[in-house]
């Protein structure tokens, strides 16, 4: 069964800056603690990364997965879905960016994950917290 999570955060940086960081996939290992390696496998006709392979820490081990990105609602929504993965059946998600009243950006991070092997509830909750940390790490990067 797929698990869903969502978090909204306000970042003290312009939406354009947040979008730029969110789309610089090859730089994720610089700021996203659990992302260890990134390889852009395909680009779209505008040169944007279309399929991106990740190696990340997950549940005490290394995992590999490839995401396909959807820029159809750019620069307000950056969405993705999993093309292949080793311990996940599904990874679907999106960053929803909107201008905040203070000149910053409100970011809603939505994520749906389904693992190949079911996990106990406490392990899932711990994994969810780590995954949602990504949006806080994005905030730290954009505000630096």
């Amino acid at each position: 069964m797929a698990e869903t999570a969502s978090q909204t955060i306000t970042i003290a940086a312009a939406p354009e800056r947040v979008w730029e960081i969110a789309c610089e996939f090859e730089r994720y290992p610089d700021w996203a603690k659990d992302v260890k390696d990134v390889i852009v496998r395909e680009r779209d006709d505008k040169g944007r990364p279309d399929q991106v392979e990740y190696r990340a820490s997950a549940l005490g081990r290394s995992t590999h997965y490839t995401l396909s990105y959807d820029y159809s609602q750019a620069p307000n929504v950056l969405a993705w879905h999993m093309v292949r993965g080793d311990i996940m059946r599904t990874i679907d998600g999106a960053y929803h960016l909107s201008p905040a009243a203070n000149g910053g950006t409100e970011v809603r991070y939505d994520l749906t994950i389904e693992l190949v092997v079911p996990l106990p509830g406490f392990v899932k909750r711990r994994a969810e917290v780590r995954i949602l940390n990504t949006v806080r790490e994005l905030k730290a990067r954009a505000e630096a």
Side-chain angles (χ1 to χ4, degrees):
M1 183 170 146
E3 299 290 327
T4 62
S6 185
Q7 182 172 10
T8 301
I9 195 166
T10 301
I11 298 176
E16 298 79 19
R17 174 74 179 135
V18 177
W19 177 264
E20 177 184 305
I21 293 168
C23 293
E24 291 178 332
F25 307 109
E26 293 152 312
R27 305 287 309 267
Y28 276 34
D30 296 343
W31 58 268
K33 186 175 95 175
D34 289 337
V35 177
K36 304 305 178 193
D37 193 32
V38 175
I39 300 168
V40 175
R41 294 291 180 193
E42 293 181 20
R43 293 187 181 272
D44 67 11
D45 58 355
K46 294 183 179 177
R48 300 174 297 196
D50 181 46
Q51 289 199 11
V52 181
E53 180 182 343
Y54 294 87
R55 182 176 64 85
S57 297
L59 305 169
R61 67 177 296 242
S62 184
T63 183
H64 287 82
Y65 54 92
T66 300
L67 302 180
S68 178
Y69 287 90
D70 175 0
Y71 299 93
S72 63
Q73 298 177 66
N76 301 314
V77 178
L78 176 62
W80 58 86
H81 71 274
M82 189 180 80
V83 176
R84 64 188 147 276
D86 55 3
I87 65 171
M88 288 83 65
R89 279 195 181 96
T90 304
I91 304 175
D92 295 327
Y95 287 117
H96 299 264
L97 284 63
S98 57
N102 65 355
T105 306
E106 183 174 284
V107 178
R108 190 180 82 228
Y109 181 57
D110 295 329
L111 195 63
T112 301
I113 294 181
E114 183 177 3
L115 299 173
V116 173
V117 177
L119 295 175
F122 76 95
V123 175
K124 283 191 231 179
R125 283 186 295 281
R126 193 171 66 209
E128 179 182 316
V129 167
R130 287 193 63 164
I131 291 166
L132 291 175
N133 273 339
T134 303
V135 76
R136 287 188 285 278
E137 292 167 341
L138 173 64
K139 173 182 172 70
R141 178 71 169 197
E143 291 178 352

